[in-house]
Amino acid sequence: MATLAQLRRDYSDARLSLRAGLVQAARLIWEGLRHSPTAYDRASMPGFVDQLVPLVREGQAQEAALTVAMLRELSLLRTGVPTPDVDLSGLEGREGGVSLEDVYARPFVWLWTDLKNGKPFEVALDDAADRLGKSIEADLQLASRNAADAVIDADRRVIGFKRVLSERPNHCPLCVVASTNHYRKGDLLPIHPGCGCGVEPVYDSGDWDDDLNRQVADAYAEAIRSQQIAVLDHGEYGPYLVAA
């Protein structure tokens, strides 16, 4: 059986690979529109959305499956018993009934707005692609968070959960501070753009302490000394982590 460090590393690597691949595919589709006779006008929007949204849905399904598999292996490692089976349907879309079709029509609006405000076309096109990538990362993070929430909610043994920092070498100060918090069962993990944090259930009080989180917090002690965080109720993301 894999060690905790191996489980975390494999999970983090798989998520990073999935996100990078999907963001790259979306950028290629977006930039490929320049070769269309209706490049970046309203007529090209439906085709772009129809091509990208199924890829995002598949990415969300893969992200959710990765999260469920990781939590199952973690439960076996710590308790000898797997997590309960859960229903992962209904993970697509965002809070407030915002559909993926709505979300992925937005790059056109971003581009048109920047052009109207005088931004050069190539710069506006690249900025829209960057924002598109962040939207995809957010939707995959939402799928991961919702899957973890479903698993934790279904497991009567769980008393809470903790935020576990990713295995990436560079950590967001917001996430480092947030990783010191204890989260109750029923809470949703606050996220932010580009967030790569994971969720792990807590089965007893001894599980709250975490070597990885503590080591990173020690390394970032100076950077986070004055860092204050707040959690907002975002209309599309739900609990949303910001600097206070």
Side-chain angles (χ1 to χ4, degrees), residues 1-12 69-70 73-75 77:
M1 182 177 292
T3 65
L4 175 59
Q6 289 172 325
L7 278 176
R8 286 178 171 176
R9 185 165 52 251
D10 291 347
Y11 176 56
S12 180
M70 192 277 184
E73 292 302 313
L74 180 64
S75 179
L77 179 65

Side-chain angles (χ1 to χ4, degrees), residues 42-194:
R42 191 168 297 277
S44 63
M45 184 188 293
F48 174 79
V49 171
D50 288 346
Q51 190 173 1
L52 182 57
V53 166
L55 297 181
V56 176
R57 287 198 176 107
E58 177 59 27
Q60 287 182 307
Q62 292 181 44
E63 180 98 7
L66 284 171
T67 298
V68 170
M70 192 277 184
L71 294 179
R72 182 180 187 279
E73 292 302 313
L74 180 64
S75 179
L76 285 169
L77 179 65
R78 286 184 167 162
T79 71
V81 180
T83 52
D85 292 333
V86 294
D87 179 11
L88 295 179
S89 61
L91 292 181
E92 67 182 53
R94 301 188 181 183
E95 299 286 330
V98 178
S99 70
L100 293 181
E101 286 77 10
D102 293 334
V103 169
Y104 291 104
R106 290 173 180 170
F108 292 87
V109 179
W110 300 332
L111 175 64
W112 300 335
T113 301
D114 281 348
L115 293 176
K116 182 179 179 181
N117 291 333
K119 187 174 287 188
F121 175 76
E122 293 297 335
V123 176
L125 189 69
D126 195 54
D127 286 351
D130 288 343
R131 294 179 70 178
L132 170 61
K134 289 181 172 60
S135 288
I136 289 171
E137 289 177 347
D139 282 319
L140 295 190
Q141 179 68 9
L142 285 172
S144 175
R145 181 179 73 180
N146 292 342
D149 183 62
V151 171
I152 290 169
D153 186 60
D155 195 335
R156 295 182 178 180
R157 302 169 300 161
V158 174
I159 62 172
F161 67 89
K162 58 187 176 183
R163 182 189 205 98
V164 178
L165 298 168
S166 75
E167 293 286 338
R168 292 182 293 186
N170 298 317
H171 296 278
C172 165
L174 296 178
C175 291
V176 177
V177 174
S179 72
T180 64
N181 294 340
H182 294 182
Y183 296 92
R184 298 172 300 178
K185 188 173 182 177
D187 290 341
L188 284 175
L189 183 77
I191 65 171
H192 68 89

Side-chain angles (χ1 to χ4, degrees), residues 190-233:
I191 65 171
H192 68 89
C195 182
C197 292
V199 170
E200 291 184 9
V202 172
Y203 297 101
D204 61 56
S205 58
D207 290 339
W208 288 116
D209 189 37
D210 190 273
D211 289 341
L212 173 61
N213 285 357
R214 186 173 59 253
Q215 290 169 10
V216 173
D218 288 345
Y220 279 67
E222 187 62 32
I224 67 174
R225 192 179 306 280
S226 60
Q227 179 71 68
Q228 300 293 318
I229 62 173
V231 177
L232 305 180
D233 185 13

